[in-house]
Amino acid sequence: MIATKNFTKTFGSKNAVENLDISIEKGRIYGLVGTNGSGKSTFLRTVCGVYYPDGGSVTVDGEEVYENVAAKSKVFFVSDDMYFLPNSSIESMSQLYKGIYPTWNQEKYDKLTDKFPIDKNKKVKNFSKGMKRQAAIILALSCQPEYLLLDEAFDGLDPVIRVAVRKLIAEEVLERNMTVIISSHNLRELEDFCDTVGILHNGRLIMQHTMDTLSDRYCKAQVVIDKNSTVLDNFKHEKVLSVKKSGSIYTVTCAMSCDEAEKFLGRFNPVFMDYIPLTLEEVFVSEMEAIGYDTNNIIF
Amino acid sequence: MTPTTLYSDKKLFVSFYKNALSRIRGVAVIYGILMFITYPMFYLINIAEAMQRLALGQRYYGFEGFLDMYTASSLFFFAVVAAAVVSLSAISNSFMHSKKAVDVFHALPVRRPVMLLANFAAVSTAMFVLEAVCYLIVGITSAFTIPIPFIPLIGEFIRVFVLTMAIAAIAAFCAVCANTALDAAIFTAAFNAVVPCYTALIIALLDVFIKGFVADNAVLQFSLRFSPVCMLYQTYFYDVISYTVLNNIIYLVFTALVLAFSCHIYVKRKSERAQSNNTSAFIYRFIVTAASVGGGAFWGFVFAELFGWGDRRTATNVIISCLFTAVIYLIFNAITTRRVNPGKKGFVWMAASLALTLGLFASVTTGFFGMETYLPLIDEIQNVRIYYGGDYDNISRYVPDENGRYRYVRGGNEGVVLEKAEDIAVIHNMHREIIDGFTSDNRLTETQYVSRVRFEVEYTLDSGRVVKRDYYTEVPESVIRDFTLIDDMESFKRQMAPMLISPASDLEFFEIKDGFGKNHMRLELTGSEKEMLYNAIAQDTLNRTSQMKKQHNEMSLAKISLRYKTVETDRNGIVLSENSASIPAASVHYTYETVANIEELYSGVCFEVTSSSINTIKALNQLGLEKYTTLAQPQGIKAVVAISGSPYYDTRSANFWLSAKSFDDLGFADHINWTENQKGYFDPQQVAQIADSCTSTIYGPSIKEREPLFMVLFVNEDIDLRYIYDEQPEVICYYMTYDNAPQFVKDEFAKYIYDGGYVIK
C-alpha cells in the first residue's frame, strides 16, 4: 500500500503539496487528476523516491521510500518528460534496468519488444514521442514493479497502442496484483481505466472515490421550474457543486446520490426533472468550480 | 511485499559502474588519443632522435622532468589529463543537472552514494587505462632504448593516477553541489585555482608592497598542493624530492574524504535543484566572493603599482579596487544566477566582498599592520640564522637525507646560524639600516640606493619565538659593506666553506690553474700531500679577511679547484664518468646512488691563491709547484684591443674604449656589449701603462659585488696586419683592478659611471 500522512513538499516559498493524506490499496488502478500545479507530479516523484518529503511521511508497504532500496525496488516511475541515456537504445537501457531491478523479466521484455512496433536496437533519440513512450512502458513492465507510477502515460500514443498498453497494464494488475497510479488530464481515459480516482488542487486532496461509488455520490439533474420563481439562490447548498440555467431549464450538479438529489430538488416543485449520466470530467469541473477554480475566474 | 531477492549494494554498484563506463567510453577514447599524441608519441619521436645522436656519440638533452621521461609536449599531456578527468566526471554525473534525467536516476533503486561512487570508479578506471597505456608505451620503449628505472616509472604513473583520482573527487563534489553542468565545471576549475591564485596574489602583494615578506616559491609550491591539477606538473618541473609516497597517501586520504563528504551532501541534495539557479547555496557565494575579492584586489594593486601610493593616490587605488570588486561580483553573480539583479542577499555578499578587499588594502597600507618595520630587541635575541652565501653562493652542496639519498642545496639556501653577540649585532644593525631605508622619516633618496639585495634573516628569541623576515629591496652602501663583515665571520666560514666542513678524505682530487690560464693540471698527490694542501687551504680560508684583500689588492696567482666525490648518476642510478656518452643524470637534484661515509658533497669549490695565502703558497712550494705561486705582468703587448669596465656583477652593459679597427671581427661582439671607441688606438705609452697595471687572468677574491673591475683584451701582434690577411690575432685577457688602473682609464670610467647614475668613491 502507498500511504502518505501529512505529506508536505515545498519549493521555495510555495507549498506544492500540503498535509496530504492518501492511501492507495494494492491492486488498484488509481487515477490522479488535478489542476495544473496541483502537486500530481510532485506526489509521484516523492512516492518513487526522487523527492524527499519536507513534512509528513510517504511510505510504500509501510517503509519510507527516500534512499530505501527495498522500497524503491517495488516502484517504477515513468515520467511525463521521458529520459533515455544519450545514444541509447531500448536494448542498452534494458541492460541498466536488468542490473538494477531484481524483478526484471527478460522473457517479458523479449515478448514486449517483439509485439510493439519499434526496433529495440535503434537509437531512442530517433524515436517519435509516442515511440519513446512505448519504449518507456516496455522497460517499465519488464521490470515488473509492484507499483507503477505513470505521469501522463498515454500522451502521444496512437489509439491502437493506447488500447494495447491499457490491456497490458490491466493484465499485470490481474496477474500480479500490481498497483498503478496514473496521473493524467485525459479524464475520459481515466474514467474507463481506473477503479479509483483522486482529485488534487493546490497540493490538497479534494476528493477520492472509487469509480463505482462515483455515480452514487454525484448526480446531475435537469429540472424545469416555474419561470417566475427566483430559485437560483435557493439552490445554494453545500453539496450543490454547480447550477446552470438555460431558459427555464436548470442543470444542477451535486455531490449527493440521485435519491438525495431528488429529495433536495423536489422542494422546488419542479415541472420536469431528469437525471443525466455524469462524466468524470464533469465531476472534476464541478468540484473545481465549487472551490472557485472555474472558467469565469480565468477567462475575462 | 518486498521482492524476493534484493540486489546488494555491491551488485548495484557493479551495474551502475558498467553503465557509467558505457556512458563515458566514447569521450574517453577521444581523450586517450589526445593523451597518446601529447605524450607517448612525442616521447617516441624524442627517443628516435636521441638514438640517432647517441649513435654519433653525442649526448642528448631533449627530455624533460623527472627521470627525463617527459617531453616538451608533456605540458599539454597533463592539461589533457586534467581536462579528461573533469570532462568524464561531468559526463558521468551529468544526470544530476537534468530534471528529466533526475526523474530516471533518482527513482532507481540504487542509493545515491552507490551511484556517485560507481561514477567515480568508472572515471577512475577509464583514466587508469588511458594513463597506463601511455606509461606502458614509454616503459616498453625505454626498456629497448634508453632505459628509465622501472620502479620510479611505476611510481610516476601512480602519482599521476592518484592526482587524477583527487581531481575526479573534486569534480564529483562540485557536481553534487552545483545545479548545472556549467556551474559544476566552473566550480571544479575554481576549487583547483582558488588557493594557488590567492597565494600568487599574496606573493605579489608581499613582493611588491610589503617589505620583509618575500614569499618565495616554497609558499607557492605549498599552495599548489591544494590544487591536484597544478600538482600534475610537479615532476615535469623537476621538483621530485618534495613529492614523496606520503603525498600519494595524503591525496588518497583527501580523495576518500572528499568522496565521503560528497556522498553525504548528495543524500541531502534535493533533486529539484537540477537545472535551477538557486544561488543561495554557500558554494555559489563562496566562488563569487572569492573571484570578486581576488580580482578586485588584483586590479587595484596593479593600478597602485602603476601610479604609486600617496594620500590621494591611495584613495584612488582603493576606489578602483572596490569598483573592480563590485563589477566582478556582479559579472560572476550574473553568470551563476543567470540574472542581472543580485537581489538583497546578493548585495549583502557584495558588501562583504568589498569589506574583504578593503581589509587587504588596509593590510598593505599599514605595512602588514606594522610587521614590516618590526625589529626585535637585540637583548632578546638568542641566535640569528642568515640566509646568505657570500663567496660560497655558487657552490652546490648535496646533503644526505634520512633515506640515504642526496638533497641539493645551493649556496646559503639553508642559512647560517650566528650565536656570538658581535655577530648578532652586525645582522641586527643591517636589519635596522634596511628598515630605516624605507620608513618615511628616514627614507633614502633614489641616488642613495646603490643596489637591490636579498636580506633573509630569522631570529630565535629567548622566549622561543621565531621572527623571520625576508627583504628584497634597495639598500644603502653601508648595508653592502656590512655583508663583507658576514664574509669575515669565523662562524660563517665554518658553516659555509667546504674545506672547513668536510675532511680531506671526501676529496677526490685537486686541479690547479695558474693566473694566466696557461697551465692547467690535475694534481697527483699522495694521501698525506693531499691532506697537507687541503689543510693549508682551509687555514688560509679561515685567515682571509676583507681587510686583507683590500690591503693586498689581491688578484689571483692561481686557482685551485677542489673536486669532491660526486654522485652524478644516469637514469639507472649508475655513476657516470665525465665523458660518458649516455644521457646524463635525470637531474642533479636527484640521485639513487648512496655514497657511504660522506657527510656532504660539493661541486664548484675553488680556492683563489693570492699573495696572502701564505699557508697554501708554502704547501705548493713544498710540492714543487712554485710556478703556481708567482705571477708575471703580461709581456709583449703590441696593442690593447679593448677594456671593459663595470662594477662587477652589475647587470648594466659594460663600456669600452676600443682600439681595434673593428672589434666585432674578432668574434667577441656576441658575448659582450662593446661600444666603439671614438679615440682610435691607445698610444704606446698608454698601452705600456695598461700592461703594467694588469695583474692576473683570473679576477681575484678581493673583487666584490659592485667594485669596479677592468678586463683588458690585448694582442701581441699587429692587429691591422692580421686583419688585412683575414687572420684573427690571438686575443689575451687580463684583469686590472680599479686601484691599479692608470688615471686616464679611471677618468673615462668615471664619466660612464657618472652617466650611469652610480656613486663611486
Side-chain angles (χ1 to χ4, degrees):
Chain A
M1 186 175 78
I2 289 172
T4 68
K5 194 170 182 186
N6 292 327
F7 164 46
T8 300
K9 182 69 192 173
T10 308
F11 296 125
S13 57
K14 185 182 180 299
N15 281 347
V17 177
E18 196 173 353
N19 294 323
L20 184 67
D21 292 323
I22 291 184
S23 61
I24 301 168
E25 297 292 334
K26 288 215 74 173
R28 294 279 179 191
I29 300 178
Y30 190 96
L32 194 61
V33 296
T35 52
N36 293 329
S38 59
K40 300 186 296 295
S41 297
T42 303
F43 170 74
L44 293 177
R45 286 191 173 100
T46 312
V47 169
C48 69
V50 172
Y51 289 167
Y52 182 78
D54 293 325
S57 67
V58 176
T59 59
V60 170
D61 292 343
E63 288 184 287
E64 292 281 352
V65 189
Y66 191 80
E67 283 295 90
N68 184 339
V69 175
K72 286 171 86 174
S73 293
K74 300 175 189 175
V75 184
F76 195 103
F77 175 48
V78 179
S79 171
D80 174 29
D81 211 354
M82 289 164 297
Y83 174 82
F84 297 90
L85 293 171
N87 296 317
S88 62
S89 61
I90 299 176
E91 184 61 30
S92 62
M93 287 298 292
S94 75
Q95 297 303 316
L96 172 66
Y97 289 116
K98 195 193 289 184
I100 287 173
Y101 279 91
T103 49
W104 173 267
N105 187 327
Q106 186 63 33
E107 199 181 327
K108 185 170 282 179
Y109 166 76
D110 293 337
K111 192 176 148 191
L112 290 172
T113 47
D114 283 347
K115 295 282 181 192
F116 277 90
I118 50 173
D119 184 351
K120 67 179 178 182
N121 294 313
K122 197 176 168 186
K123 295 269 170 68
V124 178
K125 68 179 179 186
N126 298 323
F127 284 3
S128 68
K129 186 182 176 185
M131 289 164 84
K132 283 181 183 169
R133 186 72 69 187
Q134 288 177 51
I137 288 168
I138 289 170
L139 292 166
L141 294 177
S142 302
C143 286
Q144 297 202 123
E146 290 181 40
Y147 299 91
L148 179 62
L149 314 181
L150 303 169
D151 197 357
E152 297 291 350
F154 302 112
D155 193 18
L157 296 178
D158 66 54
V160 175
I161 299 293
R162 208 175 268 244
V163 171
V165 168
R166 270 164 39 185
K167 188 165 169 277
L168 279 168
I169 292 172
E171 281 173 9
E172 290 287 323
V173 172
L174 282 173
E175 285 171 15
R176 297 194 298 108
N177 202 28
M178 181 176 77
T179 308
V180 183
I181 303 176
I182 307 175
S183 151
S184 176
H185 290 293
N186 189 339
L187 304 189
R188 180 71 198 85
E189 198 157 48
L190 291 184
E191 195 169 22
D192 292 347
F193 189 49
C194 299
D195 52 25
T196 310
V197 69
I199 297 178
L200 282 177
H201 178 66
N202 282 346
R204 291 169 183 275
L205 186 67
I206 303 299
M207 63 129 243
Q208 176 180 299
H209 293 299
T210 62
M211 294 306 287
D212 295 338
T213 58
L214 202 62
S215 57
D216 294 340
R217 291 173 181 273
Y218 289 88
C219 174
K220 186 178 177 184
Q222 281 190 328
V223 288
V224 178
I225 297 171
D226 181 5
K227 66 171 98 170
N228 295 324
S229 300
T230 53
V231 292
L232 205 59
D233 288 342
N234 294 333
F235 280 140
K236 277 189 177 170
H237 185 274
E238 59 179 0
K239 289 192 171 180
V240 173
L241 301 175
S242 69
V243 180
K244 283 173 186 163
K245 189 184 177 205
S246 174
S248 58
I249 301 170
Y250 291 88
T251 305
V252 183
T253 309
C254 30
M256 52 181 83
S257 66
C258 290
D259 293 342
E260 285 174 321
E262 192 170 350
K263 275 185 196 168
F264 172 69
L265 294 171
R267 289 188 293 175
F268 302 105
N269 298 317
V271 179
F272 169 80
M273 186 161 70
D274 192 16
Y275 300 108
I276 304 167
L278 193 66
T279 63
L280 179 59
E281 187 166 317
E282 284 170 318
V283 172
F284 176 71
V285 172
S286 300
E287 284 283 359
M288 290 300 106
E289 282 177 355
I291 56 172
Y293 186 80
D294 63 31
T295 50
N296 295 327
N297 291 338
I298 297 168
I299 301 166
F300 298 96
Chain B
M1 185 183 73
T2 304
T4 48
T5 49
L6 260 181
Y7 284 158
S8 65
D9 274 351
K10 190 178 165 189
K11 172 146 177 60
L12 292 170
F13 175 88
V14 173
S15 297
F16 209 81
Y17 165 78
K18 284 181 183 169
N19 176 263
L21 264 183
S22 68
R23 280 183 281 141
I24 61 175
R25 193 175 45 201
V27 179
V29 169
I30 294 168
Y31 275 108
I33 293 167
L34 285 174
M35 284 164 71
F36 172 77
I37 291 170
T38 50
Y39 180 29
M41 192 180 87
F42 275 93
Y43 181 82
L44 292 171
I45 292 169
N46 266 29
I47 280 287
E49 195 177 342
M51 294 303 288
Q52 275 184 341
R53 288 182 181 241
L54 286 173
L56 296 169
Q58 298 171 339
R59 296 177 81 167
Y60 186 62
Y61 295 89
F63 295 95
E64 308 267 347
F66 175 55
L67 295 175
D68 285 340
M69 62 190 292
Y70 293 115
T71 65
S73 68
S74 304
L75 273 174
F76 300 104
F77 168 71
F78 291 122
V80 172
V81 167
V85 69
V86 171
S87 302
L88 297 182
S89 295
I91 293 166
S92 65
N93 294 313
S94 62
F95 64 83
M96 295 179 199
H97 308 122
S98 157
K99 278 184 177 173
K100 280 162 59 173
V102 155
D103 279 350
V104 171
F105 281 92
H106 287 181
L108 293 174
V110 183
R111 292 195 305 119
R112 293 188 184 190
V114 173
M115 277 196 255
L116 192 76
L117 294 175
N119 284 341
F120 172 79
V123 172
S124 299
T125 306
M127 292 308 297
F128 180 89
V129 171
L130 297 180
E131 288 162 7
V133 167
C134 289
Y135 284 93
L136 200 62
I137 292 170
V138 170
I140 291 170
T141 308
S142 80
F144 291 101
T145 54
I146 301 163
I148 298 172
F150 185 67
I151 291 173
L153 177 68
I154 298 271
E156 179 62 1
F157 162 63
I158 291 170
R159 183 193 76 90
V160 171
F161 179 62
V162 165
L163 288 169
T164 301
M165 287 203 294
I167 299 167
I170 292 174
F173 170 74
C174 293
V176 170
C177 294
N179 298 346
T180 67
L182 175 67
D183 288 349
I186 292 171
F187 291 173
T188 308
F191 271 97
N192 269 290
V194 72
V195 176
C197 281
Y198 264 80
T199 310
L201 178 68
I202 288 164
I203 284 173
L205 291 184
L206 292 175
D207 282 350
V208 178
F209 297 110
I210 300 173
K211 296 188 190 320
F213 295 92
V214 176
D216 59 19
N217 283 338
V219 179
L220 192 59
Q221 285 262 341
F222 178 74
S223 77
L224 290 176
R225 291 178 186 280
F226 290 90
S227 166
V229 170
C230 295
M231 284 303 288
L232 281 174
Y233 288 92
Q234 177 95 351
T235 49
Y236 183 84
F237 292 109
Y238 293 96
D239 188 7
V240 181
I241 294 290
S242 59
Y243 197 99
T244 61
V245 175
L246 182 64
N247 288 106
N248 281 337
I249 294 166
I250 289 169
Y251 280 112
L252 284 174
V253 171
F254 167 82
T255 302
L257 288 175
V258 171
L259 282 176
F261 190 51
S262 305
C263 289
H264 174 73
I265 293 176
Y266 191 26
V267 171
K268 303 280 177 196
R269 182 181 192 263
K270 293 184 169 182
S271 300
E272 57 267 32
R273 273 176 45 195
Q275 274 179 278
S276 73
N277 293 317
N278 174 18
T279 54
S280 59
F282 176 77
I283 188 170
Y284 279 82
R285 298 296 182 195
F286 171 74
I287 296 296
V288 174
T289 304
S292 58
V293 173
F298 172 77
W299 284 109
F301 287 117
V302 165
F303 274 79
E305 178 62 6
L306 288 175
F307 303 113
W309 297 91
D311 297 334
R312 253 188 203 176
R313 283 176 297 180
T314 302
T316 310
N317 294 333
V318 170
I319 291 167
I320 286 169
S321 193
C322 288
L323 272 175
F324 268 103
T325 301
V327 169
I328 293 170
Y329 184 92
L330 291 172
I331 291 170
F332 269 73
N333 189 68
I335 292 169
T336 51
T337 61
R338 277 70 156 175
R339 64 166 192 255
V340 177
N341 185 358
K344 229 182 220 177
K345 273 188 182 174
F347 278 117
V348 172
W349 277 88
M350 190 165 86
S353 303
L354 289 169
L356 285 170
T357 307
L358 287 172
L360 272 174
F361 262 89
S363 69
V364 169
T365 50
T366 58
F368 216 42
F369 307 106
M371 291 173 76
E372 187 181 46
T373 53
Y374 172 72
L375 180 64
L377 293 172
I378 193 162
D379 297 338
E380 297 175 344
I381 299 169
Q382 198 177 68
N383 65 54
V384 177
R385 180 181 287 270
I386 181 91
Y387 295 87
Y388 169 68
D391 289 338
Y392 311 100
D393 208 31
N394 293 323
I395 294 173
S396 308
R397 299 163 66 202
Y398 299 88
V399 184
D401 64 13
E402 63 277 9
N403 301 319
R405 295 190 299 204
Y406 281 80
R407 189 162 45 85
Y408 172 76
V409 181
R410 174 94 180 169
N413 283 2
E414 295 224 327
V416 173
V417 178
L418 305 173
E419 288 175 327
K420 287 182 188 170
E422 59 266 32
D423 294 347
I424 293 171
V426 168
I427 305 300
H428 194 264
N429 185 51
M430 287 172 77
H431 193 166
R432 194 175 56 242
E433 284 177 314
I434 289 170
I435 290 174
D436 288 348
F438 62 75
T439 48
S440 55
D441 293 342
N442 305 309
R443 198 179 290 272
L444 294 174
T445 61
E446 206 166 290
T447 52
Q448 286 175 294
Y449 287 117
V450 294
S451 186
R452 178 179 274 266
V453 299
R454 184 95 187 248
F455 179 76
E456 191 178 354
V457 65
E458 187 180 299
Y459 300 99
T460 303
L461 307 185
D462 291 333
S463 62
R465 194 177 142 217
V466 175
V467 177
K468 191 170 180 180
R469 291 293 182 272
D470 189 357
Y471 296 91
Y472 183 61
T473 183
E474 295 90 352
V475 294
E477 187 143 8
S478 57
V479 174
I480 301 285
R481 279 198 299 271
D482 288 343
F483 273 110
T484 61
L485 297 178
I486 300 175
D487 292 330
D488 293 347
M489 288 176 188
E490 185 183 335
S491 44
F492 174 78
K493 288 179 185 174
R494 287 203 179 276
Q495 291 175 70
M496 289 299 296
M499 47 290 258
L500 294 171
I501 300 170
S502 285
S505 56
D506 284 358
L507 205 67
E508 192 96 39
F509 59 89
F510 291 104
E511 276 182 341
I512 193 162
K513 186 164 70 172
D514 69 11
F516 307 107
K518 297 276 185 191
N519 298 305
H520 177 254
M521 63 181 284
R522 177 175 170 160
L523 297 180
E524 300 295 341
L525 303 175
T526 63
S528 59
E529 287 173 338
K530 198 163 78 173
E531 192 157 356
M532 178 188 70
L533 181 58
Y534 190 72
N535 290 341
I537 291 170
Q539 193 57 49
D540 283 336
T541 302
L542 204 57
N543 293 345
R544 183 178 280 162
T545 64
S546 304
Q547 193 60 28
M548 280 169 66
K549 293 174 198 169
K550 281 282 168 204
Q551 277 174 357
H552 294 276
N553 194 21
E554 291 186 320
M555 294 297 280
S556 287
L557 298 172
K559 187 183 218 173
I560 300 176
S561 297
L562 287 77
R563 296 299 183 98
Y564 288 86
K565 290 170 183 170
T566 61
V567 288
E568 191 184 14
T569 64
D570 70 4
R571 303 198 310 177
N572 288 318
I574 298 166
V575 176
L576 290 172
S577 67
E578 261 191 45
N579 298 319
S580 168
S582 177
I583 288 184
S587 97
V588 289
H589 306 259
Y590 193 79
T591 177
Y592 300 102
E593 188 72 3
T594 303
V595 179
N597 304 323
I598 295 180
E599 290 181 357
E600 293 192 21
L601 299 162
Y602 298 92
S603 68
V605 184
C606 291
F607 180 77
E608 307 278 354
V609 183
T610 66
S611 56
S612 66
S613 311
I614 299 163
N615 297 295
T616 308
I617 290 171
K618 191 177 162 189
L620 288 172
N621 287 339
Q622 280 179 15
L623 294 169
L625 299 165
E626 292 87 352
K627 65 178 175 184
Y628 292 101
T629 60
T630 53
L631 191 69
Q633 297 304 120
Q635 301 295 316
I637 293 181
K638 280 267 178 99
V640 171
V641 177
I643 301 173
S644 157
S646 69
Y648 180 55
Y649 278 171
D650 192 84
T651 53
R652 299 190 190 201
S653 59
N655 71 316
F656 280 91
W657 302 270
L658 182 65
S659 61
K661 195 172 180 182
S662 173
F663 193 81
D664 289 352
D665 292 340
L666 297 173
F668 284 86
D670 292 338
H671 303 292
I672 315 170
N673 289 325
W674 306 94
T675 55
E676 286 288 334
N677 175 29
Q678 302 301 318
K679 294 183 175 178
Y681 294 103
F682 291 109
D683 62 40
Q685 195 185 343
Q686 285 177 322
V687 170
Q689 275 183 285
I690 291 167
D692 288 345
S693 307
C694 291
T695 45
S696 175
T697 58
I698 308 171
Y699 59 79
S702 69
I703 306 303
K704 305 300 292 181
E705 188 176 0
R706 302 203 51 75
E707 285 191 358
L709 174 71
F710 296 104
M711 187 166 76
V712 180
L713 298 173
F714 64 86
V715 291
N716 290 336
E717 303 164 73
D718 187 330
I719 56 171
D720 280 342
L721 185 67
R722 293 288 174 186
Y723 182 71
I724 291 165
Y725 289 103
D726 201 23
E727 289 176 22
Q728 291 182 0
E730 186 186 0
V731 177
I732 302 164
C733 172
Y734 256 73
Y735 286 93
M736 181 167 71
T737 61
Y738 181 83
D739 292 342
N740 263 12
Q743 192 55 43
F744 71 91
V745 174
K746 285 181 182 175
D747 292 344
E748 288 297 322
F749 183 67
K751 283 180 196 169
Y752 162 74
I753 291 299
Y754 180 80
D755 291 341
Y758 289 94
V759 178
I760 295 292
K761 59 178 181 175

